[in-house]
Amino acid sequence: LGKETKDASIFRVRISDHKIEQVVSLGDIPLAFGFFGPWFGLAPDDSPLIVRNKSTQEIYALDLELP
């Protein structure tokens, strides 16, 4: 994924037969870029996780409420 990439997607590659499957299209989601580029990973249930850029200028305080 590059900063200029439009309609970026996350793909899965099956090792046994090299089949490529699109997992999710990221469309025009503004991705957050770090030192090594955009970050994405997998949740425990194998669903994709991404970091979306919503700008830190809008964050003033965060409250954590535990059950």
Side-chain angles (χ1 to χ4, degrees):
L1 296 174
K3 290 183 181 182
E4 301 82 20
T5 303
K6 295 276 188 191
D7 300 323
S9 297
I10 296 175
F11 293 89
R12 171 183 328 184
V13 179
R14 191 165 49 204
I15 301 300
S16 61
D17 61 0
H18 304 251
K19 180 184 177 201
I20 299 173
E21 174 188 1
Q22 182 180 18
V23 176
V24 65
S25 173
L26 301 175
D28 290 326
I29 296 173
L31 300 176
F33 282 79
F35 185 73
F36 295 107
W39 180 89
F40 66 91
L42 295 174
D45 66 353
D46 287 338
S47 60
L49 299 171
I50 64 169
V51 178
R52 182 176 170 193
N53 182 5
K54 288 298 286 178
S55 180
T56 57
Q57 297 172 359
E58 298 174 10
I59 298 176
Y60 296 98
L62 298 175
D63 294 325
L64 174 64
E65 295 181 26
L66 299 174

